[in-house]
Amino acid sequence: MKEYQIKAYAKVNLGLDVVRRLPNGYHQVKMVMQSVGICDELLLEKAERGIVLTADSREVPLDETNLIYRAAKLMQEEYGIGEGIRIHLRKKIPVAAGMAGGSTDAAAAMKGMNQLFGLNVPRERLMELGVAIGADVPYCILGGTALAEGIGEKLTGLRPMPDCFILAAKPEISVSTKYVYEHLDGAGIVHHPDIDGMAEAIEGGNLPGILERMENVLEAVTISAWPVVGMLKERMLALGAERSLMSGSGPTVFGIFTGKEKAEAALEQLGGEHLAKQVFLTMPVGASQD
Ligand code: ATP
């Protein structure tokens, strides 16, 4: 095989709880992750030597700080790959948005190299390796609907989420994940989401049960610093979303719609307003087949 093309899907958090701060500064979390149809594309080609990364976006670094670069290096070293690799990234996932854009690119690079070089590494092993790049990388290798615990790397696959429409909107601000967690530590958590109840609702195919448990403990921190996130949440509801929530540490907000027409009308409306810079209408995506 000379080249290989692979999609890298974004995620939203249907629920996000922080259990405690660990002595090493990481946070123990409990989250329900869901892949969505918004995706980047990676084109991988064998090369003589090294790692060459190109992209159609100026928003991502192209040096060794790009998570794709780190993933490629990890695969080369771990599996003694003598040949080089050229990777081109077509970026569609909003950057620094809380949708795991970098982590899913890294996951796709690992899966793509596994195919391109015929390594036959089992998915579980790729997931174990991926955590060295980022806590969300193992989930991005798995994809679909999953419960994530530990620092996000302890995963339990769940039944696919019931069909629905997901309207995702990113305001024109950048939110630092570090800032949000630091301020959460100061403020404390008043109410913990019912993540176990949500996992049960997913297993039972119970969409109302999922919707009523959608909560993210990071939301209060991000909204108090960037009120536009709260305004977007409200706007989604006014436009007919059953429920709306911030994803990850933000600033992307997503709304769940049960009807396609209402979701399409909301997309058009929100797209013409100033609250969000990017708006996407998408659907849940199942676990990865790669
Ligand atoms: P998460 O949801 O995991 O917190 P995020 O969606 O908020 O992630 P990313 O899009 O992954 O954030 O980007 C965060 C930063 O990581 C960017 O500002 C960028 O400099 C860097 N980065 C490194 N590699 C990538 C990549 N492949 N795609 C996007 N950003 C990357």
Side-chain angles (χ1 to χ4, degrees):
M1 200 184 283
K2 271 189 70 187
E3 57 175 56
Y4 190 76
Q5 199 164 334
I6 184 166
K7 288 193 162 92
Y9 290 97
K11 63 85 182 159
V12 293
N13 298 92
L14 295 174
L16 192 160
D17 191 15
V18 175
V19 181
R20 66 188 176 108
R21 185 175 189 274
L22 299 168
N24 61 9
Y26 280 86
H27 289 80
Q28 189 181 330
V29 292
K30 200 160 174 178
M31 317 186 278
V32 175
M33 321 287 281
Q34 176 61 56
S35 300
V36 295
I38 304 163
C39 64
D40 292 343
E41 270 173 17
L42 275 71
L43 180 64
L44 297 92
E45 265 181 289
K46 286 184 182 171
E48 263 184 39
R49 71 180 77 83
I51 300 166
V52 180
L53 181 59
T54 55
D56 64 0
S57 159
R58 291 190 183 171
E59 283 186 85
V60 292
L62 294 175
D63 58 11
E64 58 291 340
T65 62
N66 193 303
L67 299 190
I68 297 176
Y69 189 100
R70 291 186 49 202
K73 195 158 182 3
L74 178 73
M75 292 297 282
Q76 283 180 335
E77 286 174 0
E78 183 73 22
Y79 296 103
I81 301 169
E83 290 169 280
I85 182 129
R86 223 185 324 267
I87 304 180
H88 180 69
L89 168 66
R90 291 195 196 111
K91 193 81 196 160
K92 293 214 193 71
I93 303 172
V95 176
M99 301 189 83
S103 305
T104 195
D105 288 348
M110 292 180 75
K111 289 193 283 190
M113 285 179 73
N114 193 24
Q115 296 290 337
L116 187 66
F117 294 101
L119 303 174
N120 293 317
V121 182
R123 191 164 67 173
E124 290 65 31
R125 179 66 192 138
L126 289 182
M127 288 164 67
E128 275 169 25
L129 285 172
V131 74
I133 299 170
D136 283 346
V137 174
Y139 163 72
C140 291
I141 293 172
L142 182 68
T145 314
L147 175 68
E149 295 171 281
I151 58 164
E153 90 294 12
K154 290 200 182 96
L155 296 161
T156 311
L158 299 171
R159 261 184 63 179
M161 175 183 190
D163 280 347
C164 62
F165 299 90
I166 300 178
L167 187 64
K170 184 190 173 269
E172 197 175 11
I173 50 166
S174 292
V175 170
S176 140
T177 303
K178 194 164 168 268
Y179 171 94
V180 176
Y181 274 98
E182 276 172 10
H183 285 73
L184 179 79
D185 292 337
I189 297 167
V190 190
H191 175 78
H192 288 276
D194 179 13
I195 301 290
D196 290 332
M198 177 179 279
E200 267 169 43
I202 290 171
E203 289 299 276
N206 168 11
L207 187 58
I210 298 169
L211 295 174
E212 73 191 31
R213 292 178 177 85
M214 279 173 50
E215 269 183 83
N216 176 348
V217 295
L218 303 179
E219 228 178 39
V221 179
T222 308
I223 290 177
S224 66
W226 293 278
V228 64
V229 173
M231 288 156 73
L232 254 180
K233 271 194 75 172
E234 292 299 319
R235 193 73 191 116
M236 288 267 184
L237 295 176
L239 291 171
E242 302 294 328
R243 189 92 184 185
S244 66
L245 197 72
M246 184 183 83
S247 184
S249 52
T252 299
V253 169
F254 66 98
I256 306 260
F257 291 77
T258 47
K260 192 175 183 196
E261 277 171 22
K262 216 183 247 183
E264 283 175 344
L267 168 71
E268 206 181 313
Q269 183 64 36
L270 211 53
E273 297 177 3
H274 63 279
L275 280 180
K277 187 184 172 208
Q278 290 163 289
V279 190
F280 305 83
L281 181 56
T282 188
M283 289 183 79
V285 165
S288 158
Q289 304 300 314
D290 303 292

